[in-house]
Amino acid sequence: MKCRHCGHKLNHLFADLHYSPPSNAYLTSEQLSMPEIYYPLRVQVCNNCWLVQTEDYVKSATDGLFDDNYAYFSSTSSSFLEHAKNYCEEMKTRFSLNSKSLVIEIASNDGYLLKNFVGSEIKAIGIEPTKSTAEAAKKIGINVIQDFFSVSLAKKLLNEGIKSDLIIGNNVYAHIPDINDFSEGMSLLLKPNGVITIEMPHVMQLIKHNQFDTIYHEHFSYHSLYTIKKIFEKYGLRVFDVESLNTHGGSLRVYGCLNNASHKEESSVKSLLNLEKKQGLQKIDTYKNFQPIIDNIKTNVVDFLIDKKKKGKKVVAYGAAAKGNTLLNYCGIKSDLISYVFDAASAKQNKYTPGSHIPILNPDKIVEIDPDYVIILPWNLKKEIKEQLKDILDSNTKYVTMIPTLEESS
Ligand SMILES: [Zn+2]
């Protein structure tokens, strides 16, 4: 396989999570008696441009698992909505957006972000391939083009005279297989002094905090500022600012513009590049040392669960999110070790987690089960989940997170 950005031959394995079903392929009870499709889940690193990327795999011809049914609606998360709203306010002020401005959001989802521009004088266009979310955005008055973003779509828009003051790509960069085409497309649609902002999980945080469970098939690559800068430069773009965010266990917001634009490079760019270098992100050993850490987590997780099983303790989990599925499948956990997963999303309730086949229940049933241990799978929401559960569960209940290392608390 060749690097998705620079075409260099890939020779270095970063993480081998063996095989796993798609992380959002929740199963109905009928599907439990059918075969389940597993895909290789291996991540390589390019020692030329340092792009961390999943290995290609051949999809099954009958595969319908990555389809619309499992669409993620951004508006279901309140912290996400807040994040989006603050972002829009910041951009309006910082880049003096007005009635002459046009904002384009790629992967606009259900309009969770662009709705902040509806009713204001700033024009906005969303680009979103998933029908269900695009329809939801249209319903609240957002102008949506239902399509995948690419150079060819960018050229089509250019022909219609469309150029943008602000192009937004939040949490989409990791999800696209062809980041070269995507980046070139963005550069084509920029006005001379226009700005691109993209947000994505920072691979430096993934490594530093052992977040191997954020690896799943829907993510094609994991980024450092160093690599993004290289990709941008190839398409006549330069990075002029970067911020570290707390979303998804540690993300970056990268600001880019055309080479000749007037935006001055902030000191944040150089200092983050230096930090990444210091953390060894341009050294192959940093990546090669990750697998033993993952394996160690697995041993501890399995050891913990078997110990509780032997002692007759009731163990459940909370939050049937994608990252939980990576952890459960990599550790080979089934419903004999964790009896239920509780999740507030009604679309997942009364289904089963992919691969691990643990029943998913409405959280209002957790009191009846009265668990001794609750494993909080989305560790990034530990605080808020624990606070909710402490109000309703026995004070002897213990709470456990597995990442960055196994941690138990009352
Ligand atoms: Zn490369």
Side-chain angles (χ1 to χ4, degrees):
M1 187 187 156
K2 291 198 168 125
C3 173
R4 289 203 166 92
H5 170 57
C6 74
H8 196 83
K9 196 165 181 292
L10 296 178
N11 284 320
H12 300 285
L13 197 61
F14 168 59
D16 186 352
L17 303 179
H18 308 313
Y19 287 81
S20 177
S23 61
N24 285 316
Y26 297 94
L27 303 167
T28 60
S29 54
E30 294 79 43
Q31 285 171 311
L32 289 184
S33 37
M34 294 178 197
E36 192 174 12
I37 304 170
Y38 277 59
Y39 296 91
L41 187 51
R42 278 191 296 268
V43 182
Q44 303 240 22
V45 61
C46 171
N47 64 337
N48 182 49
C49 72
W50 302 105
L51 181 69
V52 174
Q53 50 203 295
T54 50
E55 264 181 29
D56 287 330
Y57 53 87
V58 181
K59 269 197 186 184
S60 152
T62 54
D63 172 21
L65 292 172
F66 289 99
D67 68 14
D68 275 9
N69 293 334
Y70 300 101
Y72 172 79
F73 284 77
S74 298
S75 290
T76 51
S77 161
S78 59
S79 58
F80 233 65
L81 290 176
E82 188 64 25
H83 178 74
K85 192 175 170 219
N86 294 338
Y87 164 84
C88 291
E89 285 306 317
E90 241 180 279
M91 294 307 110
K92 271 188 223 171
T93 316
R94 179 166 177 187
F95 301 112
S96 315
L97 301 175
N98 58 38
S99 60
K100 294 191 184 88
S101 310
L102 174 69
V103 174
I104 294 180
E105 188 190 13
I106 304 169
S108 50
N109 201 275
D110 57 8
Y112 75 105
L113 186 138
L114 287 183
K115 72 175 184 190
N116 295 299
F117 292 111
V118 175
S120 85
E121 50 184 3
I122 302 160
K123 287 185 288 298
I125 299 174
I127 298 169
E128 171 57 53
T130 312
K131 195 176 172 204
S132 51
T133 50
E135 293 295 331
K138 284 179 193 167
K139 270 190 198 138
I140 55 169
I142 293 162
N143 183 5
V144 186
I145 298 166
Q146 197 197 315
D147 207 343
F148 283 98
F149 185 70
S150 62
V151 166
S152 82
L153 179 65
K155 285 184 175 162
K156 216 171 109 193
L157 296 176
L158 266 184
N159 280 337
E160 294 168 24
I162 293 173
K163 277 208 167 193
S164 184
D165 295 271
L166 174 63
I167 299 178
I168 307 162
N170 285 356
N171 296 304
V172 57
Y173 218 54
H175 290 259
I176 31 168
D178 192 348
I179 38 172
N180 286 345
D181 183 76
F182 187 93
S183 308
E184 188 182 353
M186 288 196 295
S187 74
L188 291 174
L189 280 184
L190 269 189
K191 284 188 189 169
N193 216 32
V195 171
I196 293 170
T197 76
I198 52 172
E199 288 181 24
M200 73 287 291
H202 191 190
V203 74
M204 187 177 90
Q205 304 297 345
L206 188 158
I207 295 173
K208 198 170 163 193
H209 303 291
N210 309 338
Q211 297 162 354
F212 80 89
D213 59 341
T214 62
I215 295 171
Y216 37 89
H217 296 107
E218 290 89 335
H219 281 167
F220 290 93
S221 49
Y222 303 85
H223 303 92
S224 59
L225 181 62
Y226 176 89
T227 304
I228 292 167
K229 192 169 172 281
K230 269 190 172 297
I231 300 170
F232 271 27
E233 280 166 1
K234 194 173 170 195
Y235 298 103
L237 298 167
R238 62 181 172 85
V239 172
F240 68 91
D241 196 6
V242 61
E243 287 165 42
S244 297
L245 309 169
N246 290 325
T247 45
H248 300 291
S251 299
L252 293 182
R253 177 185 294 159
V254 179
Y255 294 76
C257 62
L258 293 168
N259 280 333
N260 297 327
S262 66
H263 306 284
K264 169 179 149 286
E265 185 178 310
E266 304 291 332
S267 59
S268 57
V269 178
K270 224 167 233 141
S271 58
L272 186 59
L273 287 171
N274 286 338
L275 181 64
E276 285 184 346
K277 197 168 182 192
K278 227 172 93 191
Q279 300 279 335
L281 290 194
Q282 289 131 57
K283 278 191 198 139
I284 201 67
D285 284 350
T286 308
Y287 299 91
K288 292 206 150 174
N289 290 338
F290 196 56
Q291 186 72 35
I293 295 170
I294 303 176
D295 291 340
N296 191 39
I297 293 174
K298 174 178 178 170
T299 312
N300 289 336
V301 168
V302 175
D303 199 41
F304 172 88
L305 292 172
I306 290 175
D307 176 61
K308 301 306 168 243
K309 174 90 182 166
K310 282 181 178 164
K311 290 178 176 148
K313 302 288 182 192
K314 273 186 271 181
V315 181
V316 302
Y318 196 98
K323 57 165 78 79
N325 291 330
T326 295
L327 180 97
L328 296 171
N329 283 317
Y330 184 62
C331 296
I333 296 162
K334 308 278 176 195
S335 59
D336 56 333
L337 294 180
I338 295 179
S339 23
Y340 302 100
V341 183
F342 296 90
D343 197 286
S346 57
K348 293 176 188 170
Q349 289 164 6
N350 304 316
K351 290 190 174 167
Y352 296 80
T353 53
S356 50
H357 299 183
I358 302 172
I360 305 167
L361 298 180
N362 187 317
D364 65 16
K365 301 229 162 60
I366 198 168
V367 180
E368 282 167 51
I369 307 290
D370 187 26
D372 299 300
Y373 292 88
V374 180
I375 294 161
I376 299 174
L377 293 171
W379 39 260
N380 49 323
L381 305 174
K382 179 184 175 180
K383 209 173 146 232
E384 68 182 81
I385 292 173
K386 201 173 146 181
E387 269 166 25
Q388 282 169 28
L389 293 177
K390 280 188 94 155
D391 285 342
I392 54 170
L393 290 176
D394 199 287
S395 61
N396 295 323
T397 309
K398 299 250 189 320
Y399 300 88
V400 184
T401 42
M402 307 296 202
I403 307 285
T405 51
L406 199 142
E407 210 183 283
E408 187 183 318
S409 62
S410 336

